[in-house]
Amino acid sequence: MPGQGLPLRVATLLTGLLECLGFAGVLFGWASLVFVFKTEHYFEELCEPNAGWMGNATGQDDCKAQDERFSLIFTLASFMNNFMTFPTGYIFDRFKTTVARLIAIFFYTSATLMIAFISADSAALLFLAMPMLTVGGILFLITNLQVGNLFGKHRSTIITLYNGAFDSSSVVFLIIKLLYEQGISLRASFIFLSVCSAWHVGRTFLLMPRGHTPYPLPPNYSYGLCSGNGTRGEKKKTAEAEKLDLQSKEFQSPKEEIPEPGQQPETRSFRSHVLSQRFAWHLVWLSVIQLWHYLFIGTLNSLLTNLAVGDRALVSSYTNAFAITQFFGVLCAPWNGLLMDRLKQKYQKEAQKTGSSALAAALLSTVPSLALTSLLCLGFALCASVRVLPLQYVTFILQVISRSFLYGGNAAFLTLA
């Protein structure tokens, strides 16, 4: 079969964007969901009457233990978000797209149904439901990142766009909170999310490859709806026949494209990548910044409660503002990818003229992105450290921009490094 046209690829791109935006990273809207859980009296038995300095009750309960319980749930779920990235990545590599997505759908549907039917008496089940929701979401993201391979030189832009959508999906819990305030129960909202699994299943079989999307993309590559046409052997032969032609394309590094006569392209093992200094220092950089983001999100509700002196209306207003700013992550992240794509093309053209390493040129294109991300995160940390309530609006803006740049730039960096 001839290579599939643009409409199917655009459909895959847009539906993948919707999937990441509506489902993949909902955990990071935790502050909005905690507000609903508190209204539903989850873990309220942990609150104690707050005695004044004369030993008399002040009328406002001390719910520090309740806040710690919610923070513990978020900590566990966010830990699983990172810890399970490696096992889920292995599942994706070993069993390929369809199996990985079916596992994601199972975890996600089980989690949303569990949350739908949890009550204040069974709130401890959140310790199981939220990590399952997180694992399902990260698998959705991992299986969708390969969509960038369908668009050649725009690969980094699409990867960062999807990571931005992952960040912005935290707005889903804001929508659930607003619907709750309008009389729509928490159960109804999460049952709706469970029903959406039928859409995930349809997309898995109709718009996603059974295996992996290769990079570079063979000319006659087919997937999804039409992947059954033609034999697998014919596709393999076609891909092998066209491989040498593809190696002259602009999205490959010059040294890899045209090896010296008799010279074999250098290949590196997975172990050598993991043990490299570049990977180790990048991991440290990512972990430190990510830890600060998780700490901020996990303790936001208690922070706002303290700064607002227990005013629930004010806490609700600031929680909504935080969740709304999270939505704009999908608009911020592509700028980082666009910056990296433009710089990569520029430096690789220079490398072709000078004969220098194309890999070094590709890595050089990530330096401005990583530096800008670090500066944004520093500004976010400084603003968050100042205990002034109106200043938190600035904190929210810097947080969403830095987080979008962090995850999108990280994913793009790893594909280049």
mmCIF file of all heavy atoms in Angstrom, residues 312-328:
data_model
loop_
_atom_site.group_PDB
_atom_site.id
_atom_site.type_symbol
_atom_site.label_atom_id
_atom_site.label_comp_id
_atom_site.label_asym_id
_atom_site.label_seq_id
_atom_site.Cartn_x
_atom_site.Cartn_y
_atom_site.Cartn_z
ATOM 1 N N ARG A 312 -12.595 29.880 53.253
ATOM 2 C CA ARG A 312 -12.800 28.867 52.217
ATOM 3 C C ARG A 312 -13.110 29.478 50.850
ATOM 4 O O ARG A 312 -12.701 28.954 49.814
ATOM 5 C CB ARG A 312 -13.933 27.914 52.622
ATOM 6 C CG ARG A 312 -13.534 26.916 53.702
ATOM 7 C CD ARG A 312 -14.665 25.951 53.991
ATOM 8 N NE ARG A 312 -15.087 25.205 52.810
ATOM 9 C CZ ARG A 312 -14.471 24.123 52.361
ATOM 10 N NH1 ARG A 312 -13.391 23.661 52.981
ATOM 11 N NH2 ARG A 312 -14.917 23.491 51.292
ATOM 12 N N ALA A 313 -13.836 30.598 50.846
ATOM 13 C CA ALA A 313 -14.159 31.251 49.567
ATOM 14 C C ALA A 313 -12.891 31.757 48.891
ATOM 15 O O ALA A 313 -12.721 31.634 47.668
ATOM 16 C CB ALA A 313 -15.135 32.400 49.800
ATOM 17 N N LEU A 314 -11.979 32.315 49.692
ATOM 18 C CA LEU A 314 -10.719 32.813 49.151
ATOM 19 C C LEU A 314 -9.834 31.663 48.680
ATOM 20 O O LEU A 314 -9.197 31.735 47.625
ATOM 21 C CB LEU A 314 -9.992 33.644 50.216
ATOM 22 C CG LEU A 314 -8.905 34.618 49.736
ATOM 23 C CD1 LEU A 314 -9.471 35.574 48.690
ATOM 24 C CD2 LEU A 314 -8.328 35.389 50.924
ATOM 25 N N VAL A 315 -9.800 30.596 49.454
ATOM 26 C CA VAL A 315 -9.031 29.410 49.066
ATOM 27 C C VAL A 315 -9.564 28.843 47.748
ATOM 28 O O VAL A 315 -8.795 28.481 46.851
ATOM 29 C CB VAL A 315 -9.083 28.334 50.169
ATOM 30 C CG1 VAL A 315 -8.460 27.028 49.677
ATOM 31 C CG2 VAL A 315 -8.362 28.816 51.418
ATOM 32 N N SER A 316 -10.883 28.778 47.626
ATOM 33 C CA SER A 316 -11.505 28.279 46.400
ATOM 34 C C SER A 316 -11.139 29.150 45.202
ATOM 35 O O SER A 316 -10.839 28.652 44.117
ATOM 36 C CB SER A 316 -13.024 28.222 46.565
ATOM 37 O OG SER A 316 -13.648 27.800 45.366
ATOM 38 N N SER A 317 -11.142 30.470 45.401
ATOM 39 C CA SER A 317 -10.828 31.405 44.322
ATOM 40 C C SER A 317 -9.389 31.219 43.838
ATOM 41 O O SER A 317 -9.135 31.159 42.628
ATOM 42 C CB SER A 317 -11.044 32.839 44.808
ATOM 43 O OG SER A 317 -10.644 33.775 43.831
ATOM 44 N N TYR A 318 -8.456 31.117 44.775
ATOM 45 C CA TYR A 318 -7.047 30.940 44.398
ATOM 46 C C TYR A 318 -6.803 29.551 43.804
ATOM 47 O O TYR A 318 -5.966 29.395 42.909
ATOM 48 C CB TYR A 318 -6.143 31.180 45.610
ATOM 49 C CG TYR A 318 -5.759 32.633 45.780
ATOM 50 C CD1 TYR A 318 -6.605 33.532 46.423
ATOM 51 C CD2 TYR A 318 -4.564 33.123 45.276
ATOM 52 C CE1 TYR A 318 -6.273 34.861 46.574
ATOM 53 C CE2 TYR A 318 -4.209 34.460 45.417
ATOM 54 C CZ TYR A 318 -5.072 35.322 46.062
ATOM 55 O OH TYR A 318 -4.731 36.645 46.184
ATOM 56 N N THR A 319 -7.513 28.544 44.294
ATOM 57 C CA THR A 319 -7.395 27.201 43.735
ATOM 58 C C THR A 319 -7.852 27.196 42.277
ATOM 59 O O THR A 319 -7.217 26.575 41.414
ATOM 60 C CB THR A 319 -8.218 26.192 44.546
ATOM 61 O OG1 THR A 319 -7.768 26.177 45.905
ATOM 62 C CG2 THR A 319 -8.100 24.793 43.971
ATOM 63 N N ASN A 320 -8.956 27.886 42.011
ATOM 64 C CA ASN A 320 -9.434 28.002 40.625
ATOM 65 C C ASN A 320 -8.420 28.727 39.744
ATOM 66 O O ASN A 320 -8.184 28.322 38.601
ATOM 67 C CB ASN A 320 -10.773 28.738 40.585
ATOM 68 C CG ASN A 320 -11.898 27.949 41.227
ATOM 69 O OD1 ASN A 320 -11.751 26.766 41.526
ATOM 70 N ND2 ASN A 320 -13.021 28.597 41.467
ATOM 71 N N ALA A 321 -7.832 29.790 40.287
ATOM 72 C CA ALA A 321 -6.837 30.550 39.519
ATOM 73 C C ALA A 321 -5.635 29.674 39.184
ATOM 74 O O ALA A 321 -5.121 29.706 38.051
ATOM 75 C CB ALA A 321 -6.393 31.773 40.310
ATOM 76 N N PHE A 322 -5.195 28.871 40.145
ATOM 77 C CA PHE A 322 -4.061 27.978 39.904
ATOM 78 C C PHE A 322 -4.399 26.970 38.807
ATOM 79 O O PHE A 322 -3.601 26.738 37.886
ATOM 80 C CB PHE A 322 -3.690 27.250 41.194
ATOM 81 C CG PHE A 322 -2.654 26.179 41.008
ATOM 82 C CD1 PHE A 322 -1.333 26.516 40.767
ATOM 83 C CD2 PHE A 322 -2.998 24.845 41.061
ATOM 84 C CE1 PHE A 322 -0.368 25.533 40.582
ATOM 85 C CE2 PHE A 322 -2.044 23.853 40.880
ATOM 86 C CZ PHE A 322 -0.725 24.203 40.640
ATOM 87 N N ALA A 323 -5.578 26.372 38.903
ATOM 88 C CA ALA A 323 -5.969 25.347 37.929
ATOM 89 C C ALA A 323 -6.133 25.952 36.528
ATOM 90 O O ALA A 323 -5.799 25.305 35.526
ATOM 91 C CB ALA A 323 -7.258 24.668 38.371
ATOM 92 N N ILE A 324 -6.643 27.171 36.446
ATOM 93 C CA ILE A 324 -6.810 27.824 35.146
ATOM 94 C C ILE A 324 -5.458 28.096 34.497
ATOM 95 O O ILE A 324 -5.269 27.876 33.293
ATOM 96 C CB ILE A 324 -7.626 29.126 35.293
ATOM 97 C CG1 ILE A 324 -9.087 28.789 35.638
ATOM 98 C CG2 ILE A 324 -7.564 29.959 34.015
ATOM 99 C CD1 ILE A 324 -9.922 29.994 36.026
ATOM 100 N N THR A 325 -4.492 28.556 35.294
ATOM 101 C CA THR A 325 -3.162 28.797 34.729
ATOM 102 C C THR A 325 -2.536 27.493 34.219
ATOM 103 O O THR A 325 -1.794 27.505 33.237
ATOM 104 C CB THR A 325 -2.219 29.442 35.763
ATOM 105 O OG1 THR A 325 -2.125 28.602 36.924
ATOM 106 C CG2 THR A 325 -2.708 30.816 36.176
ATOM 107 N N GLN A 326 -2.842 26.359 34.878
ATOM 108 C CA GLN A 326 -2.298 25.078 34.433
ATOM 109 C C GLN A 326 -2.735 24.747 33.003
ATOM 110 O O GLN A 326 -2.004 24.097 32.253
ATOM 111 C CB GLN A 326 -2.753 23.951 35.363
ATOM 112 C CG GLN A 326 -2.295 24.076 36.801
ATOM 113 C CD GLN A 326 -0.785 24.164 36.911
ATOM 114 O OE1 GLN A 326 -0.065 23.230 36.618
ATOM 115 N NE2 GLN A 326 -0.307 25.317 37.335
ATOM 116 N N PHE A 327 -3.921 25.172 32.638
ATOM 117 C CA PHE A 327 -4.436 24.875 31.304
ATOM 118 C C PHE A 327 -3.558 25.466 30.214
ATOM 119 O O PHE A 327 -3.446 24.914 29.117
ATOM 120 C CB PHE A 327 -5.867 25.398 31.165
ATOM 121 C CG PHE A 327 -6.436 25.232 29.789
ATOM 122 C CD1 PHE A 327 -6.843 23.983 29.340
ATOM 123 C CD2 PHE A 327 -6.534 26.308 28.920
ATOM 124 C CE1 PHE A 327 -7.352 23.817 28.055
ATOM 125 C CE2 PHE A 327 -7.050 26.157 27.647
ATOM 126 C CZ PHE A 327 -7.458 24.900 27.214
ATOM 127 N N PHE A 328 -2.905 26.590 30.523
ATOM 128 C CA PHE A 328 -2.123 27.276 29.496
ATOM 129 C C PHE A 328 -0.760 26.624 29.267
ATOM 130 O O PHE A 328 0.017 27.107 28.443
ATOM 131 C CB PHE A 328 -1.958 28.752 29.866
ATOM 132 C CG PHE A 328 -3.243 29.531 29.758
ATOM 133 C CD1 PHE A 328 -4.033 29.735 30.875
ATOM 134 C CD2 PHE A 328 -3.676 30.016 28.537
ATOM 135 C CE1 PHE A 328 -5.233 30.430 30.773
ATOM 136 C CE2 PHE A 328 -4.867 30.711 28.430
ATOM 137 C CZ PHE A 328 -5.654 30.915 29.546
#
